[in-house]
Amino acid sequence: MTFIATPQIMNFTEPLMLRSGEKLDSYHLAYETYGALNSLKNNAVLICHALNASHHVAGVYEDSESQSSSVGWWDTMIGPGKPVDTDEFFVIGINNLGSCFGSTGPMHLNPKTQRAWGSQFPVVTVEDWVEAQKRLVSALGIEKLCAVMGGSLGGMQALSWTLQYPDKVMHSIVIASAPNLNAENIAFNEVARRAIVNDPDFHGGNFYEYNVIPRRGLKIARMIGHITYLSDDVMNAKFGRELKNEKIKYSTQEVEFQIESYLRYQGEKFSEYFDANTYLLITRALDYFDPAKDYKNNLSLAFKALQASFLVISFKTDWRFSPSRSREIVQALIDNKRAVTYAEIDAPHGHDAFLLEDYRYLSVVRAYFKEIEKKINAKEQNNE
Amino acid sequence: MNKQAFIACIADLVPFGSRVLDLGCGDGELLSYLQQSKGCSGYGVEIDDQNVLECVKRGVQVIQLNLDQGLTMFEDASFDVVLQIDTLQNLRNAETMLVETVRVGELGIVAFPNFAHWPNRLSILQGRMPVTKRLPYQWYDTPNIRVGTFSDFEVLAQKNDIEILDSFGVKDAQTVRTFPNFLAPTAVFKIQR
């Protein structure tokens, strides 16, 4: 069962100080909410998005050409009767600053110059995003989140919330994530960024003024990314060495194998809706995230003040955000005697598994939220 | 074996308010009992997906790990009690895990099926591997890859300088302190480093 989602915009005029030292004088955030806030306002769940997603987490848009194409990116997880049940919880999806899906980003006008921000858009970090999210959550009248949840880069935000606002989050659900990126992971991001920046249509990030899009760069960036989100097994099962045509053409440039065709298609699709500057900004936010950095690289020390309970989930075939990285988070939580449950799901789909339907994965999340629901209901009864 | 009564029997060994690590915690029933009846806190460690889910449903904190990969995630003496209830016999590196148990816990409590229980001996004498209520598996499909006795454990503990604080057998949820190696289907050891 699904439902109609309605995107909204909230404007902010109080300047936002960024980690880089720069500030955004004014900005707006796109968001959606599902379900209803209860009278105690203690059933709010914030969903944080990863690289190429948005505030449109669940449901469909009413006015969309085809409703099936407008399904929210985590509709398997969130909705009425779903693992995160919108009949019980008030769920908020927020689009992050710098994105290209509605919140203030590099394609919008810089009020100071009256030109598109382009490459001048300030570099934003996970911590900056959390700061902006906090303002929106407060503006919705929510003092304390019952849960904050995300996968991949979204998981980093869910973790960062508990460090930046230890007493404002009850539960943090961190899925297919990591306490920071390792060198290999930064390397993949860098190749993607170079592909974009070296595209002649990029124009130093100011391509909007030239009415062009650095499609070639975006395509390659997406192709690389896509490879790292899948597992070797899944790719082999799906494509193997299957040829596009009946016979080999002995061509170095034409598509020979199905996997090539698939990657080109994914790249093509991506380049039609994603912004090049956004890609640079978001991959940089990934690179910079490192909460242990100020604590002699000791994650346990970094977690000292943290109060939330955690559900950490990883996927065995995910090599971009491998289980061992999730176990680092779990270990630091155990060192601090924090409440944590950790599930390592034996799904074949690599990093992408966090967005897919897997019974074991969804059941654990469902059971975890049922427990949260019990706690909320107990509080409500005490209040009556 | 009456599960509830056995759980109560093990719980008697756990001091009130202990911080507990339950290795191979199964569906989390024991930890849940310890939380509710003895004010304990802590985590279970479990490898099986279905058991992990059952733990979450009970509100028991569980860490999904393969115990055969060790306990490197846990610091020395970071728990008051480490439980290994019916786990030892399924582990490839049973000896290492025993040492790990007393490293991570101030106190270790280990329970496992005693293969020297007299019906098992009788079965072997008759030339067949035992299949009993306590050991319901055929030899070719048993998960019990470490087949040991009450007395064997004493030898292993001594070899690793592990002190046995108390030991007894359990039969029908009753403690057996006379000839436990002969009379009890389950061996229980309270140990420390």
Side-chain angles (χ1 to χ4, degrees):
Chain A
M1 191 186 129
T2 194
F3 58 95
I4 302 296
T6 314
Q8 300 179 73
I9 295 281
M10 197 182 281
N11 290 301
F12 297 83
T13 48
E14 194 187 323
L16 183 72
M17 291 304 300
L18 304 172
R19 293 289 151 124
S20 65
E22 286 194 60
K23 68 176 174 162
L24 268 176
D25 285 328
S26 64
Y27 57 95
H28 62 269
L29 295 175
Y31 70 103
E32 289 179 10
T33 69
Y34 324 111
L37 193 59
N38 65 12
S39 56
L40 290 179
K41 300 185 176 184
N42 67 352
N43 68 333
V45 177
L46 174 69
I47 307 295
C48 304
H49 71 76
L51 206 156
N52 65 333
S54 70
H55 51 294
H56 183 39
V57 179
V60 295
Y61 288 147
E62 194 168 28
D63 51 358
S64 160
E65 280 172 31
S66 81
Q67 288 203 342
S68 65
S69 69
S70 75
V71 180
W73 59 271
W74 223 353
D75 195 65
T76 50
M77 183 66 87
I78 295 143
K82 304 262 173 83
V84 182
D85 189 350
T86 50
D87 290 337
E88 298 292 337
F89 295 97
F90 178 65
V91 178
I92 310 158
I94 303 185
N95 189 214
N96 284 325
L97 286 170
S99 175
C100 51
F101 296 117
S103 293
T104 300
M107 67 298 303
H108 294 129
L109 282 188
N110 176 351
K112 277 186 189 141
T113 62
Q114 287 304 309
R115 292 168 60 198
W117 281 98
S119 59
Q120 297 304 301
F121 194 85
V123 169
V124 279
T125 62
V126 166
E127 289 81 1
D128 296 331
W129 285 338
V130 168
E131 215 58 54
Q133 289 164 8
K134 173 72 173 71
R135 288 185 180 185
L136 188 138
V137 167
S138 297
L140 291 175
I142 296 151
E143 162 75 10
K144 194 170 185 171
L145 286 167
C146 130
V148 53
M149 172 172 180
S152 192
L153 174 58
M156 289 175 167
Q157 293 158 59
L159 173 57
S160 200
W161 258 93
T162 68
L163 301 170
Q164 290 173 252
Y165 292 100
D167 58 342
K168 303 293 181 205
V169 190
M170 307 273 287
H171 303 86
S172 178
I173 294 94
V174 178
I175 303 168
S177 196
N180 62 21
L181 291 195
N182 57 14
E184 186 190 50
N185 225 320
I186 294 171
F188 281 122
N189 283 345
E190 176 60 3
V191 176
R193 281 192 295 265
R194 284 289 98 194
I196 290 169
V197 169
N198 286 328
D199 186 324
D201 285 339
F202 184 64
H203 294 287
N206 300 315
F207 51 90
Y208 315 102
E209 293 165 13
Y210 297 81
N211 269 320
V212 291
I213 294 170
R215 278 181 191 278
R216 285 161 289 184
L218 272 168
K219 279 185 216 170
I220 293 168
R222 182 58 175 173
M223 286 165 87
I224 294 158
H226 209 84
I227 296 166
T228 69
Y229 304 148
L230 300 177
S231 69
D232 194 18
D233 282 350
V234 158
M235 253 205 226
N236 271 324
K238 215 167 166 183
F239 307 104
R241 295 183 49 82
E242 205 179 312
L243 294 175
K244 174 85 179 153
N245 302 294
E246 240 170 74
K247 280 184 180 164
I248 287 183
K249 291 187 205 154
Y250 295 99
S251 157
T252 55
Q253 300 194 16
E254 281 179 79
V255 167
E256 284 281 34
F257 295 94
Q258 283 291 6
I259 181 65
E260 298 170 11
S261 167
Y262 173 77
L263 285 177
R264 287 192 194 190
Y265 170 75
Q266 289 294 336
E268 193 72 44
K269 218 170 62 173
F270 187 72
S271 73
E272 279 162 19
Y273 72 80
F274 211 81
D275 179 82
N277 284 311
T278 293
Y279 202 95
L280 304 184
L281 286 166
I282 294 189
T283 53
R284 258 306 185 224
L286 265 165
D287 294 354
Y288 285 142
F289 183 68
D290 189 8
K293 189 169 144 273
D294 294 337
Y295 297 86
K296 299 173 186 159
N297 297 316
N298 183 329
L299 199 62
S300 298
L301 274 180
F303 282 9
K304 272 272 179 292
L306 168 161
Q307 296 174 26
S309 299
F310 277 74
L311 171 62
V312 180
I313 298 177
S314 73
F315 300 93
K316 279 195 176 145
T317 53
D318 183 352
W319 54 280
R320 185 91 197 242
F321 289 80
S322 70
S324 66
R325 304 309 318 275
S326 284
R327 287 198 290 260
E328 287 176 40
I329 296 173
V330 174
Q331 182 168 358
L333 290 167
I334 291 172
D335 284 347
N336 284 290
K337 299 185 164 45
R338 299 324 315 174
V340 53
T341 280
Y342 172 60
E344 202 168 292
I345 310 289
D346 193 10
H349 307 101
H351 188 53
D352 258 357
F354 90 87
L355 293 167
L356 302 175
E357 244 175 293
D358 179 289
Y359 171 77
R360 292 157 296 186
Y361 164 44
L362 295 183
S363 303
V364 166
V365 176
R366 182 184 291 274
Y368 194 78
F369 271 88
K370 279 273 174 241
E371 283 299 305
I372 298 178
E373 207 181 299
K374 277 187 213 163
K375 286 185 226 169
I376 290 173
N377 290 339
K379 264 188 201 159
E380 227 170 11
Q381 273 165 8
N382 285 344
N383 230 44
E384 271 164 13
Chain B
M1 183 173 56
N2 180 333
K3 202 177 170 194
Q4 244 77 37
F6 181 66
I7 280 175
C9 177
I10 296 294
D12 277 346
L13 301 173
V14 180
F16 194 88
S18 292
R19 200 171 142 71
V20 178
L21 183 66
D22 186 356
L23 304 177
C25 67
D27 61 12
E29 197 177 355
L30 173 57
L31 258 181
S32 176
Y33 180 87
L34 288 172
Q35 284 171 13
Q36 280 158 26
S37 310
K38 300 204 75 172
C40 294
S41 61
Y43 316 96
V45 176
E46 179 55 46
I47 188 170
D48 180 76
D49 292 332
Q50 193 57 40
N51 278 336
V52 167
L53 179 59
E54 292 304 320
C55 287
V56 178
K57 282 184 178 168
R58 283 177 200 272
V60 164
Q61 291 164 50
V62 59
I63 312 293
Q64 190 164 24
L65 283 183
N66 181 353
L67 285 175
D68 271 327
Q69 286 165 1
L71 290 182
T72 49
M73 193 181 267
F74 305 97
E75 299 248 23
D76 294 0
S78 53
F79 290 87
D80 298 319
V81 179
V82 176
L83 299 170
Q84 248 198 81
I85 309 303
D86 259 2
T87 301
L88 191 74
Q89 72 268 23
N90 305 138
L91 298 175
R92 192 155 292 280
N93 52 12
E95 184 176 7
T96 312
M97 279 310 297
L98 193 62
V99 175
E100 284 284 89
T101 296
V102 288
R103 173 185 70 79
V104 171
E106 302 278 4
L107 191 70
I109 296 169
V110 181
F112 60 92
N114 172 30
F115 280 80
H117 184 214
W118 68 264
N120 301 338
R121 298 186 190 204
L122 195 61
S123 185
I124 297 277
L125 268 179
Q126 288 166 344
R128 298 291 304 276
M129 282 301 280
V131 179
T132 63
K133 243 189 335 178
R134 183 73 176 90
L135 298 165
Y137 308 99
Q138 291 291 342
W139 65 275
Y140 48 81
D141 69 355
T142 176
N144 301 325
I145 58 171
R146 298 295 174 213
V147 183
T149 70
F150 193 99
S151 301
D152 285 335
F153 188 88
E154 292 173 336
V155 176
L156 181 63
Q158 195 175 22
K159 181 189 167 214
N160 287 288
D161 288 328
I162 291 169
E163 188 186 345
I164 296 173
L165 300 173
D166 190 13
S167 68
F168 53 86
V170 175
K171 186 176 189 304
D172 301 329
Q174 300 290 325
T175 55
V176 179
R177 290 192 177 269
T178 327
F179 304 119
N181 196 42
F182 190 72
L183 294 176
T186 299
V188 179
F189 285 81
K190 195 169 154 182
I191 54 174
Q192 73 177 20
R193 184 153 62 158

Coordinates of all heavy atoms in Angstrom, one line a residue, chain A residues 148 157-167 169 171-172 303 305-310:
Chain A
V148 N 16.6 8.7 14.3 CA 17.2 9.2 13.0 C 17.8 8.0 12.3 O 18.4 7.2 12.9 CB 18.1 10.4 13.3 CG1 19.2 10.0 14.3 CG2 18.7 10.9 12.0
Q157 N 25.1 10.6 8.7 CA 24.3 11.7 9.3 C 23.6 11.2 10.6 O 23.5 11.9 11.6 CB 23.3 12.3 8.3 CG 23.9 13.0 7.1 CD 23.0 13.0 5.9 OE1 21.9 13.6 5.9 NE2 23.5 12.5 4.8
A158 N 23.0 10.0 10.5 CA 22.3 9.4 11.6 C 23.3 9.3 12.8 O 22.9 9.5 14.0 CB 21.7 8.1 11.3
L159 N 24.6 9.0 12.5 CA 25.6 8.9 13.6 C 26.0 10.2 14.1 O 26.1 10.5 15.3 CB 26.8 8.1 13.0 CG 28.1 8.1 13.9 CD1 27.8 7.4 15.2 CD2 29.2 7.3 13.2
S160 N 26.1 11.2 13.1 CA 26.6 12.5 13.5 C 25.6 13.2 14.4 O 25.9 14.0 15.3 CB 26.9 13.3 12.2 OG 27.7 14.4 12.6
W161 N 24.3 13.0 14.2 CA 23.2 13.6 15.0 C 23.5 13.2 16.5 O 23.3 14.1 17.4 CB 21.9 13.0 14.6 CG 21.0 13.9 13.8 CD1 21.0 13.9 12.4 CD2 20.1 14.9 14.2 NE1 20.1 14.9 12.0 CE2 19.5 15.5 13.1 CE3 19.7 15.4 15.5 CZ2 18.6 16.5 13.2 CZ3 18.8 16.4 15.6 CH2 18.3 17.0 14.4
T162 N 23.8 12.0 16.7 CA 24.0 11.5 18.1 C 25.2 12.1 18.8 O 25.4 12.1 20.0 CB 24.1 10.0 18.2 OG1 25.3 9.6 17.7 CG2 22.9 9.3 17.5
L163 N 26.2 12.6 17.9 CA 27.4 13.3 18.5 C 27.2 14.8 18.6 O 27.6 15.4 19.6 CB 28.5 13.0 17.5 CG 28.9 11.5 17.3 CD1 29.9 11.3 16.2 CD2 29.4 10.9 18.6
Q164 N 26.4 15.4 17.7 CA 26.2 16.8 17.7 C 25.1 17.2 18.7 O 25.1 18.2 19.3 CB 25.9 17.3 16.3 CG 27.1 17.3 15.4 CD 26.7 17.7 13.9 OE1 26.6 16.8 13.0 NE2 26.4 18.9 13.7
Y165 N 24.1 16.3 18.7 CA 22.9 16.6 19.6 C 22.6 15.3 20.5 O 21.6 14.7 20.3 CB 21.7 17.0 18.8 CG 21.9 18.3 18.2 CD1 22.2 18.4 16.8 CD2 21.7 19.5 18.9 CE1 22.4 19.7 16.3 CE2 21.9 20.7 18.4 CZ 22.3 20.8 17.0 OH 22.5 22.1 16.5
P166 N 23.5 15.0 21.4 CA 23.4 13.7 22.1 C 22.0 13.5 22.8 O 21.5 12.4 22.9 CB 24.5 13.7 23.1 CG 25.5 14.8 22.7 CD 24.7 15.7 21.8
D167 N 21.5 14.6 23.3 CA 20.2 14.5 24.1 C 19.0 14.8 23.2 O 17.9 14.9 23.8 CB 20.3 15.4 25.3 CG 20.5 16.9 24.9 OD1 20.9 17.1 23.8 OD2 20.2 17.7 25.8
V169 N 18.3 12.8 20.4 CA 18.0 11.6 19.6 C 17.9 10.4 20.5 O 18.9 10.2 21.3 CB 19.2 11.3 18.5 CG1 18.7 10.3 17.6 CG2 19.5 12.6 17.8
H171 N 17.1 7.1 19.3 CA 17.6 6.0 18.6 C 18.3 6.4 17.3 O 17.8 7.2 16.6 CB 16.5 5.0 18.3 CG 15.8 4.5 19.5 ND1 14.7 5.2 20.0 CD2 16.0 3.4 20.3 CE1 14.3 4.6 21.1 NE2 15.0 3.5 21.3
S172 N 19.4 5.7 17.0 CA 20.0 6.0 15.7 C 20.1 4.7 14.9 O 20.6 3.7 15.5 CB 21.4 6.6 16.0 OG 22.1 6.8 14.7
F303 N 33.0 8.9 20.9 CA 31.6 8.5 21.3 C 31.3 8.7 22.8 O 30.2 8.4 23.2 CB 31.4 7.0 21.0 CG 31.2 6.7 19.5 CD1 31.3 7.6 18.6 CD2 30.7 5.4 19.1 CE1 31.1 7.4 17.2 CE2 30.5 5.1 17.8 CZ 30.7 6.1 16.8
A305 N 30.4 11.1 24.7 CA 29.2 11.9 25.2 C 27.9 11.4 24.6 O 26.8 11.9 24.9 CB 29.4 13.4 24.8
L306 N 28.0 10.4 23.7 CA 26.8 9.9 23.0 C 25.9 9.2 23.9 O 26.3 8.5 24.9 CB 27.4 9.1 21.9 CG 26.7 8.1 21.0 CD1 27.6 7.9 19.8 CD2 26.4 6.8 21.7
Q307 N 24.6 9.4 23.7 CA 23.6 8.8 24.6 C 22.6 7.9 23.9 O 21.9 7.1 24.6 CB 22.7 9.9 25.3 CG 23.5 10.8 26.2 CD 22.7 12.0 26.7 OE1 21.5 11.9 26.8 NE2 23.3 13.1 27.0
A308 N 22.4 8.0 22.6 CA 21.4 7.3 21.9 C 21.6 5.8 21.9 O 22.7 5.3 22.1 CB 21.3 7.7 20.4
S309 N 20.5 5.0 21.7 CA 20.6 3.6 21.4 C 20.8 3.4 19.9 O 20.2 4.1 19.1 CB 19.3 2.9 21.9 OG 19.1 3.1 23.2
F310 N 21.5 2.3 19.5 CA 21.8 2.1 18.1 C 21.3 0.8 17.6 O 21.4 -0.2 18.3 CB 23.3 2.2 17.9 CG 23.9 3.6 17.8 CD1 24.0 4.4 18.9 CD2 24.2 4.1 16.5 CE1 24.5 5.7 18.7 CE2 24.8 5.4 16.4 CZ 24.9 6.2 17.5

